[in-house]
């Protein structure tokens, strides 16, 4: 009889991280010092399982596994029983419980949790990117972005950047102002990455006037002056023509609707790469 914890073989058809976390959590309840853990990930054949069972048997180790592929799990259990090796299924009982209550068949696809985690972290990274490279703060973001939005103020560049970030797309946006020369990076990125946003002058005037009211400023400020707005829009059209970029009219469009148009352009470009 052992007076210390046995070694553990972590067996998985993914990376085995879940099983190892559970094993270490259980082992922490025993005041027994160190414990040897061997993780064997990405199992795809029964021959490897046979070898693991043989090694576990000769070293008096336990096997803890997260095999979602049914045939592999059944083979491992049968081999472990044959050689009297203790074998613990980490996911199986809970998956069966979910199946029993929901009457939904599990996908049995290895690595799904890791894929979900990767999607989450890509979303966080895209949101941080949108904040960092919002409103032309740093032109270096133009080369790093998946999409670059350009347009005059109040054409929904920032809301669109954040909306697309939640779809894990890195977006930088650059305001087009007559008095400010656009960054050279805009004219050097691959064709199709830059997307222009334009808007009806009357609607832009209304949006800006309302914005000034919320700030406690007078509507006569140049920001909401009709002549100034026409000048800005004409300037933006000139820049967009130089860029040769697709242009979307955001007049009376919801952010979701404009984002859908942007995504069409984005995925069309990717398919042509």
């Amino acid at each position: 009889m052992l007076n210390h914890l046995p070694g553990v073989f972590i067996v998985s058809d993914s990376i085995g991280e879940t099983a190892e976390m559970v094993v270490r959590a259980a082992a922490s309840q025993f005041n027994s010092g160190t414990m040897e853990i061997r993780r064997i990930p990405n199992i795809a054949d029964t021959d490897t399982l046979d070898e693991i069972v043989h090694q576990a048997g000769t070293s008096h180790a336990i096997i803890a596994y997260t095999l979602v592929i049914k045939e592999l799990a059944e083979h491992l259990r049968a081999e472990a029983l044959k050689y009297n090796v203790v074998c613990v299924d980490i996911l199986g009982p809970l998956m069966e419980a979910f199946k029993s209550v929901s009457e939904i068949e599990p996908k049995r696809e290895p690595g799904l949790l890791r894929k979900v985690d990767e999607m989450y972290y890509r979303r966080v990274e895209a949101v941080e990117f949108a904040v960092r490279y919002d409103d032309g703060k740093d032109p270096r973001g133009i080369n790093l972005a998946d999409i670059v939005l350009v347009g005059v103020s109040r054409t929904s560049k920032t809301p669109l950047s954040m909306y697309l970030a939640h779809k894990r797309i890195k977006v930088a946006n650059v305001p087009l102002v007559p008095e400010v020369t656009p960054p050279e990076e805009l004219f050097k990125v691959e064709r199709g990455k830059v997307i222009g946003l334009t808007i009806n002058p009357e609607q832009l005037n209304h949006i800006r006037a309302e914005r000034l009211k919320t700030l406690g400023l007078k509507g006569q400020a140049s920001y909401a002056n009709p002549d100034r707005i026409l000048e800005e829009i004409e300037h933006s059209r000139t820049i967009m023509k130089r860029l040769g970029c697709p242009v979307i009219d955001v007049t009376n469009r919801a952010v979701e609707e404009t984002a859908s148009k942007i995504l069409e352009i984005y995925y069309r470009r990717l398919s042509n790469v």
Side-chain angles (χ1 to χ4, degrees):
M1 186 173 181
L2 295 174
N3 59 3
H4 58 83
L5 289 184
V8 181
F9 284 78
I10 305 293
V11 178
S12 177
D13 40 22
S14 182
I15 62 174
E17 189 175 48
T18 300
E20 183 170 345
M21 287 175 62
V22 173
V23 167
R24 291 190 182 279
S28 69
Q29 300 298 316
F30 297 84
N31 186 22
S32 58
T34 60
M35 172 187 59
E36 183 182 359
I37 292 180
R38 289 185 58 188
R39 193 199 296 190
I40 305 97
N42 303 315
I43 297 294
D45 62 273
T46 55
D47 288 344
T48 304
L49 292 176
D50 292 346
E51 178 60 26
I52 292 168
V53 171
H54 173 72
Q55 290 185 33
T58 56
S59 60
H60 304 289
I62 291 172
I63 296 175
Y65 69 93
T66 51
L67 295 169
V68 297
I69 298 175
K70 191 175 182 180
E71 294 75 16
L72 292 178
E74 289 177 347
H75 183 86
L76 177 60
R77 285 194 294 270
E79 284 298 299
L81 183 63
K82 186 189 301 182
Y83 294 99
N84 200 30
V85 173
V86 176
C87 189
V88 182
D89 185 354
I90 302 294
L91 292 180
L94 190 54
M95 285 174 59
E96 286 301 316
F98 279 130
K99 177 182 174 182
S100 174
V101 174
S102 68
E103 298 184 352
I104 299 172
E105 281 292 327
K107 293 181 179 180
R108 300 195 180 279
E109 181 182 334
L112 280 182
L113 179 60
R114 192 180 66 217
K115 290 178 184 177
V116 171
D117 286 344
E118 287 173 355
M119 289 174 66
Y120 170 77
Y121 287 116
R122 283 202 300 270
R123 183 180 295 114
V124 170
E125 185 180 6
V127 169
E128 290 176 346
F129 186 94
V131 172
R132 186 179 305 119
Y133 299 110
D134 180 46
D135 206 32
K137 290 175 185 173
D138 186 344
R140 291 177 297 181
I142 292 170
N143 292 318
L144 300 172
D146 299 315
I147 295 171
V148 182
L149 301 178
V150 297
V152 300
S153 174
R154 314 312 292 179
T155 48
S156 299
K157 297 186 299 299
T158 297
L160 284 165
S161 297
M162 296 304 297
Y163 183 91
L164 293 167
H166 281 85
K167 295 186 178 296
R168 302 175 300 282
I169 296 174
K170 294 179 180 178
V171 184
N173 71 78
V174 179
L176 298 179
V177 184
E179 295 78 15
V180 179
T181 303
E184 281 301 314
E185 288 85 350
L186 270 181
F187 302 94
K188 295 178 180 178
V189 296
E190 60 184 284
R191 193 172 185 85
K193 179 185 277 193
V194 180
I195 298 175
L197 303 175
T198 190
I199 189 171
N200 175 276
E202 288 77 17
Q203 185 176 11
L204 181 57
N205 178 262
H206 174 73
I207 292 170
R208 288 189 175 184
E210 291 299 314
R211 173 63 175 163
L212 288 174
K213 286 180 184 178
T214 63
L215 296 173
L217 301 174
K218 292 183 178 180
Q220 291 85 359
S222 63
Y223 182 68
N225 181 281
D227 292 335
R228 169 63 181 184
I229 286 173
L230 287 173
E231 179 189 0
E232 288 187 37
I233 290 177
E234 186 58 36
H235 171 74
S236 70
R237 286 174 179 163
T238 301
I239 297 299
M240 292 173 195
K241 190 173 181 179
R242 276 183 62 196
L243 291 168
C245 66
V247 179
I248 300 173
D249 189 340
V250 302
T251 305
N252 296 321
R253 287 186 190 272
V255 168
E256 295 84 356
E257 189 180 356
T258 304
S260 177
K261 294 286 184 182
I262 292 170
L263 289 172
E264 283 180 25
I265 295 168
Y266 173 66
Y267 288 119
R268 193 184 309 130
R269 176 170 65 87
L270 289 186
S271 67
N272 292 331
V273 172

Coordinates of all heavy atoms in Angstrom, one line a residue, residues 65-127:
Y65 N -8.8 11.1 -17.5 CA -8.9 11.4 -18.9 C -10.1 12.3 -19.2 O -11.1 12.4 -18.5 CB -9.0 10.1 -19.7 CG -10.2 9.3 -19.5 CD1 -11.3 9.5 -20.4 CD2 -10.3 8.3 -18.5 CE1 -12.5 8.7 -20.3 CE2 -11.5 7.6 -18.4 CZ -12.5 7.8 -19.3 OH -13.7 7.0 -19.1
T66 N -9.9 13.0 -20.3 CA -11.0 13.8 -20.9 C -11.0 13.5 -22.4 O -10.5 14.2 -23.2 CB -10.8 15.3 -20.7 OG1 -9.4 15.7 -21.2 CG2 -10.9 15.8 -19.3
L67 N -11.5 12.3 -22.7 CA -11.7 11.9 -24.1 C -13.1 12.0 -24.5 O -14.0 11.3 -24.0 CB -11.2 10.4 -24.2 CG -9.7 10.1 -23.9 CD1 -9.5 8.6 -23.9 CD2 -8.9 10.7 -25.0
V68 N -13.4 13.0 -25.4 CA -14.8 13.2 -25.8 C -15.2 12.3 -27.0 O -16.3 12.1 -27.3 CB -15.1 14.7 -26.1 CG1 -14.9 15.5 -24.9 CG2 -14.2 15.2 -27.2
I69 N -14.1 11.8 -27.7 CA -14.4 10.8 -28.8 C -14.8 9.5 -28.1 O -14.0 8.9 -27.4 CB -13.2 10.7 -29.7 CG1 -12.9 12.0 -30.4 CG2 -13.5 9.6 -30.8 CD1 -11.7 12.1 -31.2
K70 N -16.0 9.1 -28.3 CA -16.6 7.9 -27.6 C -15.8 6.6 -27.8 O -15.5 5.9 -26.8 CB -18.0 7.7 -28.1 CG -18.8 6.7 -27.3 CD -20.2 6.6 -27.8 CE -21.1 5.7 -27.0 NZ -22.5 5.6 -27.5
E71 N -15.3 6.4 -29.0 CA -14.6 5.1 -29.2 C -13.3 5.1 -28.5 O -12.9 4.0 -27.9 CB -14.3 4.9 -30.7 CG -15.5 4.7 -31.6 CD -16.3 6.0 -31.8 OE1 -15.8 7.1 -31.5 OE2 -17.5 5.9 -32.2
L72 N -12.6 6.2 -28.4 CA -11.3 6.2 -27.6 C -11.6 6.0 -26.1 O -10.8 5.3 -25.4 CB -10.6 7.6 -27.9 CG -10.1 7.8 -29.3 CD1 -9.4 9.2 -29.4 CD2 -9.0 6.7 -29.7
A73 N -12.6 6.7 -25.6 CA -12.9 6.6 -24.2 C -13.3 5.1 -23.8 O -12.8 4.6 -22.8 CB -14.1 7.5 -23.8
E74 N -14.1 4.5 -24.7 CA -14.5 3.1 -24.4 C -13.3 2.2 -24.4 O -13.2 1.2 -23.6 CB -15.5 2.7 -25.4 CG -16.9 3.3 -25.2 CD -17.9 3.0 -26.3 OE1 -17.5 2.4 -27.3 OE2 -19.1 3.2 -26.1
H75 N -12.4 2.4 -25.4 CA -11.2 1.5 -25.5 C -10.3 1.7 -24.3 O -9.8 0.7 -23.7 CB -10.4 1.9 -26.8 CG -9.2 1.0 -27.0 ND1 -9.2 -0.2 -27.6 CD2 -7.9 1.2 -26.6 CE1 -8.0 -0.7 -27.6 NE2 -7.2 0.1 -27.0
L76 N -10.1 2.9 -23.8 CA -9.3 3.2 -22.6 C -9.9 2.5 -21.4 O -9.1 1.9 -20.6 CB -9.2 4.7 -22.4 CG -8.4 5.1 -21.1 CD1 -6.9 4.5 -21.2 CD2 -8.4 6.6 -21.0
R77 N -11.2 2.6 -21.2 CA -11.8 2.0 -20.1 C -11.6 0.5 -20.1 O -11.4 -0.2 -19.1 CB -13.3 2.4 -20.0 CG -13.6 3.8 -19.5 CD -15.0 4.0 -19.2 NE -15.9 3.9 -20.3 CZ -16.3 4.9 -21.1 NH1 -15.8 6.1 -20.9 NH2 -17.1 4.7 -22.1
A78 N -11.8 -0.1 -21.3 CA -11.7 -1.6 -21.4 C -10.3 -2.0 -21.1 O -10.0 -3.0 -20.4 CB -12.1 -2.0 -22.8
E79 N -9.3 -1.3 -21.6 CA -7.9 -1.7 -21.4 C -7.5 -1.5 -19.9 O -6.8 -2.3 -19.3 CB -7.0 -0.8 -22.3 CG -6.9 -1.2 -23.7 CD -6.4 -2.6 -23.9 OE1 -5.2 -2.9 -23.5 OE2 -7.1 -3.5 -24.4
A80 N -8.0 -0.4 -19.3 CA -7.7 -0.2 -17.9 C -8.3 -1.2 -17.0 O -7.6 -1.7 -16.1 CB -8.2 1.2 -17.5
L81 N -9.5 -1.7 -17.3 CA -10.1 -2.7 -16.6 C -9.4 -4.0 -16.7 O -9.2 -4.8 -15.7 CB -11.6 -2.9 -17.0 CG -12.4 -3.9 -16.3 CD1 -12.6 -3.5 -14.8 CD2 -13.8 -4.0 -17.0
K82 N -8.9 -4.3 -17.9 CA -8.2 -5.5 -18.2 C -6.9 -5.7 -17.4 O -6.6 -6.7 -16.9 CB -7.8 -5.6 -19.7 CG -7.2 -6.9 -20.1 CD -6.7 -6.9 -21.6 CE -7.8 -6.5 -22.5 NZ -7.3 -6.5 -23.9
Y83 N -6.2 -4.5 -17.2 CA -4.9 -4.5 -16.4 C -5.0 -4.0 -15.0 O -4.0 -3.6 -14.4 CB -3.9 -3.8 -17.3 CG -3.6 -4.5 -18.5 CD1 -4.1 -4.1 -19.7 CD2 -2.7 -5.6 -18.6 CE1 -3.8 -4.8 -20.9 CE2 -2.4 -6.3 -19.7 CZ -3.0 -5.9 -20.9 OH -2.7 -6.5 -22.1
N84 N -6.3 -3.8 -14.6 CA -6.5 -3.4 -13.2 C -5.9 -2.0 -12.9 O -5.3 -1.8 -11.8 CB -6.0 -4.4 -12.2 CG -6.6 -4.3 -10.8 OD1 -7.8 -3.9 -10.7 ND2 -5.9 -4.6 -9.8
V85 N -6.0 -1.1 -13.8 CA -5.5 0.3 -13.7 C -6.7 1.2 -13.3 O -7.7 1.1 -14.0 CB -4.8 0.8 -14.9 CG1 -4.4 2.2 -14.8 CG2 -3.6 -0.1 -15.2
V86 N -6.5 2.0 -12.3 CA -7.6 2.9 -11.9 C -7.7 4.0 -13.0 O -6.7 4.7 -13.3 CB -7.3 3.5 -10.5 CG1 -8.4 4.6 -10.2 CG2 -7.3 2.5 -9.4
C87 N -8.9 4.2 -13.5 CA -9.1 5.1 -14.6 C -10.3 6.0 -14.3 O -11.4 5.5 -14.0 CB -9.4 4.3 -15.9 SG -9.4 5.2 -17.4
V88 N -10.1 7.3 -14.3 CA -11.1 8.2 -13.9 C -11.6 9.1 -15.1 O -10.7 9.8 -15.7 CB -10.7 9.2 -12.8 CG1 -11.8 10.1 -12.3 CG2 -10.2 8.3 -11.6
D89 N -12.9 9.1 -15.4 CA -13.4 9.9 -16.5 C -13.8 11.3 -15.9 O -14.7 11.4 -15.0 CB -14.7 9.2 -17.0 CG -15.2 9.9 -18.2 OD1 -14.8 11.0 -18.6 OD2 -16.2 9.4 -18.8
I90 N -13.1 12.3 -16.3 CA -13.4 13.7 -15.8 C -14.6 14.3 -16.3 O -15.4 14.9 -15.6 CB -12.2 14.6 -16.0 CG1 -10.9 14.0 -15.5 CG2 -12.4 16.0 -15.5 CD1 -10.9 13.9 -14.0
L91 N -14.9 14.2 -17.6 CA -16.0 14.9 -18.3 C -17.3 14.0 -18.4 O -18.4 14.5 -18.4 CB -15.6 15.4 -19.6 CG -14.6 16.5 -19.7 CD1 -14.3 16.9 -21.2 CD2 -15.1 17.7 -18.9
G92 N -17.0 12.7 -18.6 CA -18.1 11.8 -19.0 C -19.4 11.9 -18.1 O -20.5 12.1 -18.7
P93 N -19.3 11.8 -16.8 CA -20.5 11.8 -16.0 C -21.3 13.1 -16.1 O -22.6 13.0 -16.2 CB -20.0 11.6 -14.6 CG -18.7 10.9 -14.7 CD -18.1 11.4 -16.0
L94 N -20.6 14.2 -16.2 CA -21.3 15.5 -16.3 C -22.0 15.6 -17.7 O -23.1 16.1 -17.8 CB -20.4 16.6 -16.0 CG -21.0 18.0 -15.9 CD1 -22.2 18.0 -14.8 CD2 -20.0 19.1 -15.5
M95 N -21.2 15.2 -18.7 CA -21.8 15.2 -20.1 C -23.1 14.3 -20.2 O -24.1 14.7 -20.8 CB -20.8 14.7 -21.1 CG -19.7 15.7 -21.4 SD -18.4 15.1 -22.5 CE -19.3 14.6 -23.9
E96 N -23.0 13.2 -19.5 CA -24.2 12.3 -19.5 C -25.4 12.9 -18.8 O -26.5 12.8 -19.1 CB -23.9 10.9 -18.9 CG -23.0 10.0 -19.8 CD -23.7 9.7 -21.1 OE1 -24.9 9.4 -21.1 OE2 -23.0 9.8 -22.1
A97 N -25.0 13.7 -17.7 CA -26.1 14.4 -16.9 C -26.8 15.4 -17.8 O -28.0 15.5 -17.8 CB -25.5 15.0 -15.7
F98 N -26.0 16.2 -18.5 CA -26.5 17.2 -19.4 C -27.4 16.6 -20.5 O -28.5 17.0 -20.8 CB -25.4 18.0 -20.1 CG -24.8 19.1 -19.2 CD1 -23.4 19.2 -19.1 CD2 -25.6 20.0 -18.6 CE1 -22.9 20.2 -18.3 CE2 -25.1 21.1 -17.9 CZ -23.7 21.2 -17.7
K99 N -26.9 15.5 -21.0 CA -27.6 14.8 -22.1 C -28.9 14.2 -21.6 O -30.0 14.3 -22.3 CB -26.7 13.6 -22.6 CG -27.4 12.7 -23.7 CD -26.5 11.6 -24.1 CE -27.2 10.6 -25.0 NZ -26.3 9.5 -25.4
S100 N -28.9 13.7 -20.4 CA -30.1 13.1 -19.8 C -31.2 14.1 -19.6 O -32.4 13.9 -19.9 CB -29.8 12.4 -18.5 OG -31.0 11.9 -17.8
V101 N -30.8 15.3 -19.0 CA -31.8 16.3 -18.7 C -32.2 17.1 -19.9 O -33.4 17.4 -20.1 CB -31.2 17.3 -17.6 CG1 -32.1 18.5 -17.4 CG2 -30.9 16.6 -16.3
S102 N -31.3 17.4 -20.8 CA -31.6 18.2 -22.0 C -32.1 17.4 -23.2 O -32.7 18.0 -24.1 CB -30.4 19.0 -22.4 OG -29.4 18.2 -22.9
E103 N -31.8 16.1 -23.2 CA -32.1 15.3 -24.3 C -31.4 15.8 -25.6 O -31.9 15.6 -26.7 CB -33.6 15.2 -24.6 CG -34.3 14.5 -23.4 CD -35.8 14.3 -23.7 OE1 -36.3 14.8 -24.7 OE2 -36.4 13.6 -22.8
I104 N -30.2 16.4 -25.4 CA -29.4 16.9 -26.6 C -28.1 16.1 -26.6 O -27.5 15.8 -25.6 CB -29.0 18.4 -26.4 CG1 -30.3 19.3 -26.3 CG2 -28.1 18.8 -27.5 CD1 -30.0 20.7 -26.0
E105 N -27.8 15.6 -27.8 CA -26.6 14.8 -28.0 C -25.3 15.8 -27.9 O -25.3 16.8 -28.6 CB -26.6 14.1 -29.3 CG -27.4 12.8 -29.3 CD -26.9 11.7 -28.4 OE1 -25.6 11.7 -28.3 OE2 -27.7 11.0 -27.8
P106 N -24.3 15.4 -27.2 CA -23.1 16.2 -27.2 C -22.4 16.2 -28.5 O -22.5 15.2 -29.3 CB -22.2 15.6 -26.1 CG -22.7 14.2 -26.0 CD -24.2 14.2 -26.3
K107 N -21.6 17.2 -28.9 CA -20.9 17.3 -30.1 C -19.8 16.3 -30.2 O -19.4 15.8 -31.3 CB -20.4 18.7 -30.4 CG -21.5 19.7 -30.6 CD -20.8 21.1 -30.8 CE -21.9 22.1 -31.0 NZ -21.3 23.5 -31.2
R108 N -19.2 16.0 -29.0 CA -18.0 15.1 -29.0 C -16.9 15.5 -29.9 O -16.3 14.8 -30.6 CB -18.4 13.6 -29.3 CG -19.4 13.1 -28.3 CD -19.6 11.6 -28.3 NE -20.5 11.1 -27.3 CZ -20.3 11.0 -26.0 NH1 -19.1 11.2 -25.6 NH2 -21.3 10.6 -25.2
E109 N -16.6 16.8 -29.8 CA -15.5 17.4 -30.6 C -14.4 17.9 -29.7 O -14.7 18.8 -28.8 CB -16.1 18.6 -31.4 CG -15.1 19.3 -32.3 CD -15.6 20.5 -33.0 OE1 -16.9 20.5 -33.2 OE2 -14.9 21.4 -33.3
P110 N -13.2 17.4 -29.8 CA -12.1 17.8 -28.9 C -11.8 19.3 -29.0 O -11.9 19.8 -30.1 CB -10.9 16.9 -29.4 CG -11.6 15.8 -30.2 CD -12.8 16.3 -30.8
G111 N -11.4 19.9 -27.9 CA -10.9 21.2 -27.9 C -11.9 22.3 -28.0 O -11.5 23.5 -28.2
L112 N -13.2 22.0 -27.8 CA -14.2 23.1 -27.9 C -14.0 24.2 -26.9 O -14.2 25.4 -27.1 CB -15.6 22.5 -27.8 CG -16.2 21.8 -29.0 CD1 -17.6 21.3 -28.8 CD2 -16.2 22.8 -30.2
L113 N -13.7 23.8 -25.6 CA -13.5 24.8 -24.6 C -12.4 25.8 -24.9 O -12.5 27.0 -24.7 CB -13.3 24.1 -23.2 CG -13.0 25.1 -22.0 CD1 -14.2 25.9 -21.8 CD2 -12.7 24.2 -20.8
R114 N -11.3 25.2 -25.4 CA -10.2 26.0 -25.8 C -10.6 27.0 -26.9 O -10.2 28.2 -26.9 CB -9.0 25.2 -26.2 CG -7.7 25.9 -26.4 CD -6.6 25.0 -26.8 NE -6.8 24.5 -28.2 CZ -6.5 23.3 -28.6 NH1 -6.0 22.4 -27.7 NH2 -6.7 22.9 -29.8
K115 N -11.4 26.5 -27.9 CA -11.8 27.4 -28.9 C -12.7 28.5 -28.4 O -12.6 29.7 -28.9 CB -12.6 26.6 -30.0 CG -11.8 25.6 -30.8 CD -12.7 24.8 -31.7 CE -11.8 23.8 -32.5 NZ -12.7 22.9 -33.4
V116 N -13.6 28.2 -27.4 CA -14.4 29.3 -26.8 C -13.5 30.3 -26.1 O -13.7 31.5 -26.3 CB -15.4 28.7 -25.9 CG1 -16.1 29.8 -25.1 CG2 -16.4 27.8 -26.6
D117 N -12.5 29.8 -25.4 CA -11.6 30.7 -24.7 C -10.8 31.6 -25.7 O -10.7 32.8 -25.4 CB -10.6 29.9 -23.8 CG -11.2 29.3 -22.6 OD1 -12.4 29.8 -22.2 OD2 -10.7 28.4 -22.0
E118 N -10.4 31.0 -26.8 CA -9.6 31.8 -27.7 C -10.5 32.9 -28.4 O -10.0 34.0 -28.6 CB -9.1 30.8 -28.8 CG -7.9 30.0 -28.4 CD -7.5 28.9 -29.4 OE1 -8.2 28.8 -30.4 OE2 -6.5 28.2 -29.1
M119 N -11.8 32.5 -28.6 CA -12.7 33.5 -29.2 C -12.9 34.7 -28.2 O -12.9 35.9 -28.6 CB -14.0 32.9 -29.5 CG -14.0 31.9 -30.7 SD -15.5 31.0 -30.9 CE -16.7 32.4 -31.3
Y120 N -13.0 34.4 -26.9 CA -13.2 35.4 -25.9 C -12.0 36.3 -25.9 O -12.1 37.6 -25.9 CB -13.4 34.8 -24.5 CG -13.3 35.7 -23.4 CD1 -14.4 36.6 -23.1 CD2 -12.2 35.9 -22.6 CE1 -14.3 37.5 -22.1 CE2 -12.1 36.8 -21.5 CZ -13.2 37.6 -21.3 OH -13.1 38.5 -20.3
Y121 N -10.8 35.8 -25.8 CA -9.6 36.6 -25.7 C -9.3 37.4 -27.0 O -8.8 38.5 -26.9 CB -8.3 35.7 -25.4 CG -8.4 35.3 -24.0 CD1 -8.5 33.9 -23.7 CD2 -8.3 36.2 -22.9 CE1 -8.5 33.5 -22.3 CE2 -8.3 35.8 -21.6 CZ -8.4 34.4 -21.3 OH -8.5 34.0 -20.0
R122 N -9.7 36.9 -28.2 CA -9.6 37.6 -29.4 C -10.6 38.8 -29.4 O -10.2 39.9 -29.9 CB -9.9 36.8 -30.6 CG -8.7 35.8 -31.0 CD -8.8 35.4 -32.5 NE -10.1 34.7 -32.7 CZ -10.2 33.4 -32.6 NH1 -9.2 32.6 -32.2 NH2 -11.3 32.8 -32.9
R123 N -11.7 38.6 -28.8 CA -12.7 39.7 -28.6 C -12.1 40.8 -27.7 O -12.2 42.0 -28.1 CB -14.0 39.2 -28.1 CG -15.1 40.3 -28.0 CD -16.4 39.7 -27.5 NE -17.0 38.8 -28.4 CZ -17.1 37.5 -28.1 NH1 -16.7 37.0 -26.9 NH2 -17.7 36.7 -29.0
V124 N -11.6 40.4 -26.6 CA -11.0 41.4 -25.7 C -9.9 42.2 -26.3 O -9.8 43.4 -26.2 CB -10.5 40.7 -24.4 CG1 -9.7 41.7 -23.5 CG2 -11.7 40.1 -23.6
E125 N -9.0 41.5 -27.1 CA -7.9 42.1 -27.8 C -8.4 43.1 -28.8 O -7.9 44.2 -28.9 CB -7.1 41.0 -28.4 CG -5.8 41.5 -29.1 CD -5.0 40.4 -29.7 OE1 -5.5 39.3 -29.8 OE2 -3.9 40.7 -30.2
A126 N -9.5 42.7 -29.5 CA -10.0 43.6 -30.5 C -10.6 44.9 -29.9 O -10.5 46.0 -30.5 CB -11.1 42.9 -31.4
V127 N -11.3 44.7 -28.8 CA -11.9 45.9 -28.1 C -10.8 46.8 -27.6 O -10.8 48.1 -27.8 CB -12.7 45.5 -26.9 CG1 -13.1 46.7 -26.0 CG2 -14.0 44.8 -27.4

